[in-house]
Amino acid sequence: MNVIRFSDLCANGQAAGQRVFIRADLNVPQADDGSITEDTRIRASVPCIQMALAAGAAVMVTSHLGRPTEGEFKPEDSLAPVAKRLGELLGREVPLIANWVGSEGNASVAGVTVAPGQVVLLENCRVNKGEKKNDEALARKMAKLCDIYVNDAFGTAHRAEGTTYGIAQFAPIACAGPLLAAEIDAITQALTNPKRPLVAIVAGSKVSTKLTILKSLSKNVDQLIVGGGIANTFMLAAGLKIGKSLAEADLVTEAQAVIEAMKARGAEVPIPTDVVVAKTFAADAVATVKKATDVADDDMILDIGPETAAQLAAQLKQAGTIVWNGPVGVFEFAAFENGTQVIAQAIAESSAFSIAGGGDTLAAIAKYGIEEQVGYISTGGGAFLEILEGKTLPAFEILAKRAAD
C-alpha cells in the first residue's frame, strides 16, 4: 500500500519548523483511582513523538480514552494520567491542553503556543462534538491546526472518525507514523505477498464472531488451523461428537463450506485427532486426554490433545508465513494450556515470518515469553480482525488516497 511515511518527511527535513498533529492510540487501562495499570500503548507511541521532536517540529498529540460523552467533559475522561506518564518516558514535561478545537483554528490554543521542539498533549479527542461521526466542520477545524497530520494509531484504523479520517482529508499533508507504517508492512508481507506455505491460526469461542475471517482466509491460506470453540464446531462438521463442549451447531454447514473451499484448492483445515476433556469448566477440573472419536456425552473439550499439538507444531515449523489470532485451548488453566504452549513454541522456533494479533494472543505470547521470536505483534484488536476479514481500513484508505493525490 502506497502511503506517505512520516519517517521519510523527517529524513528529508520536511518536518522542521512544521506544526505536526499526531493521532496516537493512548487508550490505556486504568484503575479506579485513575492510575495507569498497563502502559504498552503509551510506550509504543513514543518513537513517533521523538521522531517529530528530533526533526524540529512543533508537536501536538491526541488520543481517545475510554468512552466519554461528546460535549460533556468529565474528570475521569481526562488524559492527565497519560500526560504524566508520557512526560516520564520523554524526560520532559508534556502540557495537557483542554478545549483545543478553537474557532480560530491556529496553533495557539488555550493560551499555549506550540513551538518547534516542544510537545503538548491535546485532551481526549472523543469529548469533541462530532468526533465519532466524522463531522466535516470539526475535521476542517482540526486540519487548520497543523501542517502535517500523522496517523500512528493502528488500534483505531478501522474507524472513520474525525481524528482518524476527517482531518486526514483536509490537512496539507497526511501520512503514516512509524507504528502504522510497520503494521501496513507486516500485513502486506503476511497476506498480500506471503512466502508459502501460508498458515493461519484462528481460534476463539465462537465461529459466528470470526466466520467472515475464516471465509476470507480460506481463499488464500494453505492451512487453516482452528482452535477453541471454533474447533469444536468444525469437529461437528467433520461428523465427530463433542459432548457438552462449547460449539455452534447452527453453523456446521458454514464450517463444512470452509472445509470444502479449502479442499478444492488442495489446502486443508486440520481436524484434531485427540483432545483434552474435563467434566466441568474449572481450573482444578481433572484433565483427560482422549481420541477425538471417544468424547463422551458429558465431556467438555478444553484443549487440543498432545498428538494434535505435535502434528500442528511440525506443520508450523515448515511454514513460510504464519498468521496467529487466538489460543487453541483454555490456556489460562494450567491443565489445558499445553496446546497453546506447544503452538507458541513452534511459532517461536519456525523460520517463517509470523504476525500475531488479538488480546488473548498477546497474553499467550507474554505468558510463554516469545515476544522476540514473533515477527510482528499487532497493536490493534478490532483493526487486526478487520484486516483478516479482507476489509480495507478507513485510515489506510484515506492515507493511500492522499498519497495518490
Side-chain angles (χ1 to χ4, degrees):
M1 182 177 293
N2 186 28
V3 299
I4 298 169
R5 294 172 184 250
F6 185 52
S7 56
D8 292 341
L9 298 181
C10 292
N12 296 335
Q14 290 171 264
Q18 301 296 293
R19 297 169 301 159
V20 171
F21 184 111
I22 300 172
R23 174 49 159 107
D25 183 4
L26 307 173
N27 185 31
V28 290
Q30 293 175 286
D32 291 339
D33 63 359
S35 60
I36 295 167
T37 56
E38 209 282 320
D39 70 351
T40 299
R41 285 177 175 165
I42 301 176
R43 286 186 283 110
S45 298
V46 166
C48 184
I49 298 167
Q50 288 177 324
M51 183 185 290
L53 291 170
V59 187
M60 295 165 269
V61 184
T62 196
S63 172
H64 71 288
L65 182 68
R67 300 176 183 273
T69 303
E70 287 188 5
E72 297 178 26
F73 179 78
K74 301 183 187 72
E76 59 267 29
D77 299 328
S78 179
L79 286 173
V82 174
K84 181 174 181 290
R85 181 63 185 130
L86 194 55
E88 291 167 356
L89 292 166
L90 291 170
R92 60 163 73 205
E93 186 187 356
V94 178
L96 180 65
I97 299 179
N99 305 315
W100 51 274
V101 183
S103 57
E104 299 306 312
N106 56 41
S108 182
V109 281
V112 177
T113 300
V114 188
Q118 287 186 336
V119 56
V120 296
L121 185 62
L122 308 179
E123 191 57 276
N124 196 331
C125 62
R126 283 206 185 143
V127 173
N128 296 326
K129 275 191 174 178
E131 165 66 16
K132 291 196 78 173
K133 289 188 175 177
N134 190 23
D135 177 73
E136 183 176 329
L138 173 67
R140 287 184 181 277
K141 278 184 184 179
M142 294 190 295
K144 284 182 181 175
L145 289 172
C146 65
D147 302 303
I148 300 171
Y149 164 74
V150 184
N151 191 332
D152 205 39
F154 178 69
T156 62
H158 59 313
R159 303 188 189 282
E161 298 180 347
T163 56
T164 62
Y165 193 97
I167 185 175
Q169 287 178 285
F170 305 115
I173 296 173
C175 62
L179 200 60
L180 195 72
E183 293 275 357
I184 291 171
D185 291 343
I187 289 159
T188 300
Q189 187 175 344
L191 295 172
T192 309
N193 189 28
K195 182 183 175 188
R196 294 190 181 269
L198 168 57
V199 181
I201 303 160
V202 180
S205 57
K206 292 183 176 181
V207 170
S208 55
T209 58
K210 294 186 179 177
L211 183 60
T212 48
I213 293 171
L214 294 166
K215 285 181 175 177
S216 177
L217 290 174
S218 69
K219 298 170 187 170
N220 189 24
V221 302
D222 301 301
Q223 281 186 322
L224 183 57
I225 295 171
V226 290
I230 294 175
N232 297 339
T233 303
F234 273 79
M235 287 176 70
L236 277 178
L240 293 164
K241 292 181 179 179
I242 60 166
K244 58 178 184 177
S245 308
L246 176 69
E248 292 171 291
D250 58 327
L251 290 176
V252 164
T253 305
E254 300 279 9
Q256 286 170 333
V258 169
I259 292 171
E260 291 306 315
M262 293 282 287
K263 195 181 290 183
R265 294 194 301 106
E268 64 165 340
V269 182
I271 302 298
T273 55
D274 63 339
V275 291
V276 184
V277 302
K279 301 301 182 186
T280 58
F281 184 86
D284 59 353
V286 176
T288 307
V289 177
K290 289 189 173 184
K291 288 287 183 188
T293 49
D294 295 341
V295 177
D297 291 344
D298 61 344
D299 280 337
M300 296 176 73
I301 301 170
L302 300 182
D303 193 13
I304 56 173
E307 179 182 278
T308 301
Q311 288 169 350
L312 296 178
Q315 291 168 353
L316 288 167
K317 287 176 185 176
Q318 299 300 313
T321 307
I322 299 168
V323 178
W324 182 20
N325 175 243
V328 296
V330 188
F331 78 106
E332 298 90 344
F333 297 165
F336 309 102
E337 72 169 336
N338 183 66
T340 301
Q341 186 169 12
V342 169
I343 277 180
Q345 205 55 50
I347 292 170
E349 293 170 8
S350 174
S351 60
F353 172 72
S354 52
I355 179 171
D360 288 341
T361 313
L362 269 56
I365 288 169
K367 182 173 183 177
Y368 304 122
I370 62 166
E371 293 96 331
E372 298 301 317
Q373 285 79 43
V374 176
Y376 191 82
I377 298 173
S378 177
T379 55
F384 183 71
L385 294 181
E386 289 201 12
I387 285 282
L388 296 188
E389 285 181 36
K391 292 181 180 177
T392 299
L393 305 188
F396 287 10
E397 178 195 345
I398 187 61
L399 292 181
K401 185 175 184 297
R402 287 302 309 274
D405 292 343

